[in-house]
Amino acid sequence: MKPLNTYIDHTLLKPTATKSDIVKLCKEAKEYKFFSVCINSCYVALAKSELENSKIKVCSVIGFPLGAMSTQAKVEEAKSALVNGADEIDMVINIGLLKSKDFDAVWNDIESVKKIMPDNTLKVILETCYLEEDEIIKASELAIQSAADFIKTSTGFGTGGATIHDVKLMKSVAKNNAKIKASGGIKDAKTALEYINIGVERLGTSSGIAILTNDKSSNSNY
């Protein structure tokens, strides 16, 4: 297994996050050598500047947290994030269209974003807490067919985060065609390792430092 810190996208997505909060997040990422920082798109340029001359990636969320905006809006937000220096994009699927069984629209939504970033990593957030098993399977299939690099469980803003059951279901669909990112509620090393041991290749959490230092005082949902 790789070192635990290299699985972690060090995350701050609160609407109240300030510039100084983002600067602090980047400093922490460099200190603990996390894989990336995961932030809202308005802070990509700031994070890129703070992480200059480091190996830490910048991951921007897109269409966050509802996924219910137009495909064009998601594409334009992704373009802006990439121009500002994002290395990776985590986009939220259109959950309502999935539940409407308008699968072509869901496919187009994901594919349209991936088309503008063929050489960058795209993670597709399913928001599994709102989905039935068959919907998790279908959403995973659609993301993989749209050339997503990862399928991701959660935004951290829904009614629940990652579960072992849902990740195993996603893994059964993904096989070796896409990687899995688990996020939402991962607050300690024991939980993190449980996910890694079933094949998760990235963890989204705002408790990365607590996970590495065994500090149990984190009260974040993400």
Side-chain angles (χ1 to χ4, degrees), residues 44-142:
V44 167
L46 174 60
K48 195 69 175 180
S49 173
E50 290 295 317
L51 293 169
E52 194 175 9
N53 300 321
S54 81
K55 293 182 180 179
I56 314 298
K57 304 289 188 188
V58 176
C59 171
S60 175
V61 293
I62 296 297
F64 197 86
L66 302 178
M69 54 291 296
S70 69
T71 295
Q72 183 181 357
K74 289 179 181 176
V75 168
E76 292 304 318
E77 186 181 12
K79 281 181 182 177
S80 173
L82 292 164
V83 166
N84 285 327
D87 301 292
E88 302 190 342
I89 297 292
D90 287 19
M91 72 168 285
V92 187
I93 68 162
N94 193 310
I95 302 160
L97 291 180
L98 179 75
K99 286 186 168 290
S100 301
K101 295 186 167 35
D102 190 348
F103 301 136
D104 285 347
V106 178
W107 186 338
N108 178 66
D109 195 52
I110 302 166
E111 191 173 59
S112 296
V113 173
K114 184 58 184 176
K115 274 183 177 176
I116 66 161
M117 48 178 290
D119 300 322
N120 295 80
T121 296
L122 175 64
K123 309 188 206 86
V124 176
I125 306 171
L126 309 186
E127 199 68 300
T128 49
C129 62
Y130 295 134
L131 305 181
E132 304 295 333
E133 280 195 8
D134 62 324
E135 292 171 330
I136 292 172
I137 291 167
K138 189 64 182 179
S140 299
E141 290 172 347
L142 289 166

Side-chain angles (χ1 to χ4, degrees), residues 12 17-27 39 43 46-47:
L12 179 58
T18 63
K19 287 184 175 181
S20 60
D21 292 332
I22 300 299
V23 170
K24 180 172 178 277
L25 186 83
C26 293
K27 285 180 178 174
I39 53 176
Y43 286 134
L46 174 60

Side-chain angles (χ1 to χ4, degrees), residues 10 12 33 46 51 67 76 78 82 85 99 104 113 116 128 162 183-184 186 202-204 207 213 216 219 222:
H10 191 39
L12 179 58
K33 297 181 172 59
L46 174 60
L51 293 169
E76 292 304 318
L82 292 164
K99 286 186 168 290
D104 285 347
V113 173
I116 66 161
T128 49
S183 58
I186 302 168
R202 199 80 65 80
L203 301 169
S207 302
T213 61
K216 296 182 171 61
N219 58 4
Y222 195 91

Side-chain angles (χ1 to χ4, degrees), residues 1 4 188-198 203:
M1 191 186 107
L4 186 52
D188 55 66
K190 179 177 178 290
T191 306
L193 290 169
E194 283 175 355
Y195 284 110
I196 291 168
N197 287 336
I198 60 171
L203 301 169

